[in-house]
Amino acid sequence: MNELAITVIGRDRPGIVADVAEVLARLGANLTDSTMTRLRGHFAMTLICVGPAAADVEAALAPLAAEGQLLATVRAVTPDGQTAPGGEPYVMAVHGADRMGIVAAMTRVLTDAGGNVTDLSTRLTGSLYVVVAEVELPPGSADEVAGRLTRTAAELGVGVSLRPADTDLL
Amino acid sequence: MTAEEYAGLGGWTPEKLDVPGAVRPVVAAPDPVLSRPGPAVDPTSAEVVQLAADLVATMRVSPGCVGLAAPQVGVSAQVFAVDVTGHPKAVTVHGAFVLCNATVVEASRWKAGREGCMSVPDLTGDVKRASRLVVEGVLPGSGDPVRLVTDGFEARALQHEIDHCAGLLFLDRVAGAHAVYQRKVYL
């Protein structure tokens, strides 16, 4: 079986998820991990599925993109995406006046410290820019990383907090 | 609300400040005053008494506002007003009050809930807060120390305002990358 990475992006309208999922179901492509959101009114979906050849899926999705409102891409990927958690989970929150390079500078600090960003979202509302990232940090490194983040945030004129991600095992 | 819990405020009301409150403009993020820890204040100073009255006045004219901290009116200081009276989620209710230099001394029964903030008008976020809380602080005017035991929504409001006084927004405490939401506006 092929593992496929599919992205669908474009002008939002009701029914895109149903349309894409229907195409995949018809082809016998099993939808595994997926995420979908609206970004400033644009539909954005990324998913992994297991099923037929990439070319077949791309051809089947083509009619959805026919009016030029949606762009769907299909790419075969190697099914080695299961990575063990690489460290301790933390949540980084950054907020402040919007300017160029906030995500670049802050995530570079995390990367240089051996951290791995596993989830990230940003919001721009008025002049307020908000970044929330989930990150795995090398054990015992959080205090030092927090210090570096604080210094970089000060240079950018924004605020930052780094807190352990809560996991409740029930 | 039991009489014993109410005794925490000793019958204090904002009217005991004995100065009329003025409505002040509310500042919004990214104003840096919201990210700056506020200093402790002298609760008996005329300036703090006036600030306390102004916070209550501003809170009362702001629809849906259940708490307002000094940084939200542009003053970096550990003073905030809370009033969850009549709120459907509130259990214990201490009425309208203002606390100075407040600290959390006991927190338990953590629960997630969605919060908004007048200073972050376009976003909401999921934040875990203690639903049982003991807070100590001092009253503006008299400077009397108080110990409030509360729960549920009032506890959440107190933690949100104490965070403001420490230069923290709810955005600093959201649960994860997908725990911030664009506020829905129905007009």
Side-chain angles (χ1 to χ4, degrees), chain B residues 61-167:
Chain B
V61 300
S62 308
C65 180
V66 296
L68 194 66
Q72 294 182 276
V73 295
V75 181
S76 197
Q78 290 181 36
V79 185
F80 64 82
V82 160
D83 185 4
V84 298
T85 305
H87 194 284
K89 287 186 186 166
V91 184
T92 299
V93 176
H94 285 87
F97 58 92
V98 180
L99 287 186
C100 304
N101 309 334
T103 55
V104 172
V105 292
E106 283 177 43
S108 59
R109 299 194 194 176
W110 296 82
K111 288 184 181 168
R114 193 165 292 188
E115 287 182 23
C117 177
M118 277 180 77
S119 295
V120 188
D122 300 323
L123 301 173
T124 61
D126 292 333
V127 181
K128 215 172 201 185
R129 303 280 193 190
S131 65
R132 296 298 301 264
L133 194 75
V134 181
V135 165
E136 289 179 352
V138 288
L139 294 169
S142 66
D144 290 338
V146 293
R147 182 180 169 91
L148 285 188
V149 180
T150 189
D151 53 34
F153 190 68
E154 192 177 65
R156 179 171 290 271
L158 279 162
Q159 290 164 90
H160 183 107
E161 304 310 329
I162 289 170
D163 269 357
H164 269 305
C165 294

Side-chain angles (χ1 to χ4, degrees), chain A residues 56-127:
Chain A
D56 295 345
V57 177
E58 203 154 48
L61 288 171
L64 291 180
E67 290 168 18
Q69 304 284 3
L70 280 178
L71 175 66
T73 68
V74 183
R75 192 165 65 90
V77 291
T78 46
D80 57 358
Q82 296 291 330
T83 50
E88 297 170 341
Y90 282 82
V91 177
M92 177 188 75
V94 179
H95 54 85
D98 185 32
R99 54 166 286 175
M100 284 295 292
I102 295 175
V103 174
M106 301 305 284
T107 55
R108 180 57 63 196
V109 172
L110 298 171
T111 304
D112 287 349
N116 188 24
V117 176
T118 57
D119 219 331
L120 179 140
S121 72
T122 66
R123 297 268 181 192
L124 174 64
T125 165
S127 59

Side-chain angles (χ1 to χ4, degrees), chain A residues 35 91 93 95-97 119-121 123-128 130 132-134 160-161 163 166 168, chain B residues 29-30 34-35 119-120 122-123 128 167-169 171-182:
Chain A
T35 177
V91 177
H95 54 85
D119 219 331
L120 179 140
S121 72
R123 297 268 181 192
L124 174 64
T125 165
S127 59
L128 173 66
V130 180
V132 185
E134 293 171 40
V160 64
S161 61
R163 298 176 189 283
D166 264 342
D168 296 323
Chain B
L34 294 166
S35 299
S119 295
V120 188
D122 300 323
L123 301 173
K128 215 172 201 185
L168 296 172
L169 297 174
L171 296 169
D172 293 302
R173 294 200 187 272
V174 289
H178 298 287
V180 177
Y181 310 91
Q182 207 81 40

